[in-house]
Amino acid sequence: MEERYPSRGPRSFQDRPREFHKAVCSDCGKECEVPFKPTEGRPVYCRDCLPKYRKPRF
């Protein structure tokens, strides 16, 4: 049987290490690191505060 997802090609995100960016949590004010570049005007939450703002999954 053929592999469903053979080597995903040169654009695989698994090959490179994640780049983290420093940010300040919009809720508690604690400095944290996030795996994306924060956008001005959009809130960023630390690992402790994020669950309070995440929409429930169904």
Side-chain angles (χ1 to χ4, degrees):
M1 188 173 203
E2 198 175 311
E3 194 177 337
R4 187 170 186 164
Y5 298 106
S7 70
R8 296 197 174 215
R11 294 186 148 202
S12 176
F13 290 104
Q14 298 168 349
D15 295 341
R16 62 180 174 191
R18 235 182 209 182
E19 189 177 331
F20 283 85
H21 301 272
K22 290 189 178 200
V24 176
C25 178
S26 299
D27 190 39
C28 69
K30 203 167 48 170
E31 191 170 296
C32 57
E33 288 188 338
V34 292
F36 57 88
K37 189 160 184 151
T39 306
E40 194 174 326
R42 296 196 65 188
V44 173
Y45 301 110
C46 67
R47 183 169 289 198
D48 298 327
C49 295
L50 183 60
K52 292 189 271 183
Y53 295 94
R54 205 174 239 172
K55 292 179 183 175
R57 291 184 175 181
F58 293 101

